[in-house]
Amino acid sequence: MTFFRNLTSQMHLSADVDRFIKEQVTKSGWLTLWLIVLTLITVRFVIGRVAASPFSTIIVLVLWASSLGMVAVNELRHKHTSVTLWMKNNLYNSITNVQLSLILTLALLAALFGLYRYAWTDASFTTYPATDIRAEVADISGSSYCFTIGGVKPAENPTDILDGKRTCFDAKYLTTDVETAVIGQQPANFCFDEMPDDPENGITCFESSASDPGFFEVTRTFRGANWGAVLANMTSLMIFRFDRQETWRIWAAIILIVVLAIPSVFVFRDSFKNKLVRRILTGLWLFSPIISYAFLRGVPDTSLSVNGIIGIVATAVLYAANHYITQKYPPSKRESEWIRLARYLLQAGWIIAAIFAVLGILNLTSLILGSFTRTVDGTTQPLLKELDPDVNWGGFLFTIIITVFSIVVSFPMGVLLALGRRSTVRGIPAWLTYLVAIAITIWGLINSTPANLAAARNTFEQILAFWPLFIPVVAFLFQRTWNGNVVAAFSTLYIEFVRGIPFIAVLFLTIVLFPILLPQDVEIAKVWRVMWGATLFAAAYLAENVRGGLQALSKGQYEAADSLGLSTVDKYRLIILPQALRVVIPAIVGQFIGGFKDTTLVAIVGFLDVLGVANAISAQPAWLGVRREAYLFLAVLYFVGSALMAGYSRRLEKQLGVGQM
């Protein structure tokens, strides 16, 4: 029986091998030719990697052969473990994939090792330019040469070595015949080559003059990254021209955010039941942008605003009246139009008063913060003196300011635009629209067309002179498309117009065109124009994301909210928007990440954000041509920022169950 069992097993094995060869090798002539070419490429690539990095390549080959053997044996036994089954399905499901897996693994390791050597092993971290590296003899013996190597500031003291570090070289690396007794006593010129097999790396040369034979100019040859350019300009990359005596403000703003973020991790969990603490922390978060702005911008000299105080009082009174009337006399479908109009007027008055109240709160905050002073060099000045953002905001600080401002402000704007585009409120009656259009047309034909015709220089200008005739066409399209709904028309036209132009065009419009539209005595800082341009641009795209979430909800959700008797505001606040925003969290965060990276475009319109500063580094006399390192640093910086936002998005999606059935 054992003999027949072994014979049957060998027959099955032979059949499996024959089937494998027919399916994987000889299925077609083109497949066979491809496998031959791929095998030759694989063999040549492996030989090259063994010559370049034998240790790591041999380890990879052993692991690859072992795993391939395990998969093959288990496949023949028809008994896989979870690991071998995964490798069979994803890595070794064909001869082509077997070889490509090896090639890609070796190529990835080669890239990682090359990056490590470039960024660390062969890199330079000295913050002094190559022309300002000097050395003094520390200790010389028969087997080693030790020097104190550091940098100098030629403009201040060219012989005073700063940040000196003791560095020793083995005598066997000396490339020039020089007597030990001569070094430091007579002029000398010699080099050490610590990497003889690499002609472009590891060479350090020393040269002294007859006037000071113990003081050497040092020349280093390396092919790695010159991180000294980044380290020497780190402060400029982060805050650029921000007043160095006021940098404590930046740290204060950072500490404020951290202090609020730490308890937020616990307070905003579902398991936390203290609603009062949650409301207080929410209020502090809402108030934190004002405090952060006061730190970064300063507090201008101001006086108490009477309108602001009236706005605060009026807001409190109107809010209380609106709340009392709503609770005492709830809205009813049977109430008259006059009562409904009175409710709308009361709510509108409360909203208008709230705007003045916000200005009043800002005014009071400025008065309180402006009352603090400090003494600098014997003079008393405000603790938060006013800073010019066009001068002081730059570097990565400016990038963060634009990003945070555009996210915070564009979100409510985008939600309102999305709701406005889907608005179904009663529009302007058609008869009124056409009546106004006809009136404007007649007025234009009488007052504008004759003068324009007289000044026309060609046929095109003559046609434009009859522009009033287009007014009825616009009125017809307005009624036909939006049924007179001004809110939906404005929201749709705004969204489509902004989405139809590139972001760089928006920036140029804010810098070049917008000042022309302002009165002569009105001037807005360039920083604010760019920030609002980024915000208005982001709001249009955010509106479409939110509209997608609104359309994803079934009609039953709207009907259920209406059946509860909720007002329109409460329906969207409590039922519709929470579900719609939950659906589009990935799209919204993706847009925020894109906006964070798009801030680099402000460098094109003359602002020195972190990219602008990085470009300026290579123009410095001390770091001419050093570009790659600054861009690599920016790549890591933007990757970390994007990864943090993406990580928070995944955490939020998990908490809210996005994508779960």
Side-chain angles (χ1 to χ4, degrees), residues 429-446:
W431 64 268
L432 181 59
T433 302
Y434 293 132
L435 181 62
V436 174
I438 292 173
I440 296 176
T441 301
I442 295 174
W443 178 88
L445 290 173
I446 295 174

Side-chain angles (χ1 to χ4, degrees), residues 369-510:
L369 296 177
S371 62
F372 295 98
T373 60
R374 64 171 179 166
T375 302
V376 179
D377 297 332
T379 60
T380 302
Q381 63 181 24
L383 180 64
L384 299 175
K385 70 175 183 179
E386 190 174 9
L387 300 177
D388 185 359
D390 283 345
V391 176
N392 289 273
W393 289 1
F396 193 61
L397 171 66
F398 189 40
T399 299
I400 294 298
I401 291 174
I402 296 177
T403 303
V404 173
F405 183 83
S406 62
I407 289 175
V408 172
V409 180
S410 68
F411 184 79
M413 291 179 61
V415 172
L416 292 177
L417 287 170
L419 295 175
R421 186 164 188 174
R422 290 173 52 86
S423 173
T424 56
V425 298
R426 184 184 305 173
I428 301 175
W431 64 268
L432 181 59
T433 302
Y434 293 132
L435 181 62
V436 174
I438 292 173
I440 296 176
T441 301
I442 295 174
W443 178 88
L445 290 173
I446 295 174
N447 294 279
S448 176
T449 301
N452 290 335
L453 278 175
R457 293 168 296 181
N458 49 53
T459 305
F460 180 72
E461 292 183 356
Q462 290 176 352
I463 295 174
L464 289 181
F466 291 92
W467 66 264
L469 297 177
F470 292 99
I471 300 298
V473 178
V474 173
F476 172 77
L477 294 175
F478 173 64
Q479 285 292 333
R480 181 68 178 271
T481 307
W482 294 288
N483 294 322
N485 190 335
V486 179
V487 176
F490 171 79
S491 300
T492 303
L493 292 175
Y494 174 83
I495 292 172
E496 296 303 329
F497 174 76
V498 173
R499 293 174 65 208
I501 58 177
F503 181 48
I504 188 62
V506 174
L507 293 179
F508 276 113
L509 288 175
T510 59

Side-chain angles (χ1 to χ4, degrees), residues 43 94 109 154 286 359 439 472 532 542:
V43 171
S94 67
L109 286 177
L286 294 176
L359 298 177
W532 276 107
L542 185 65

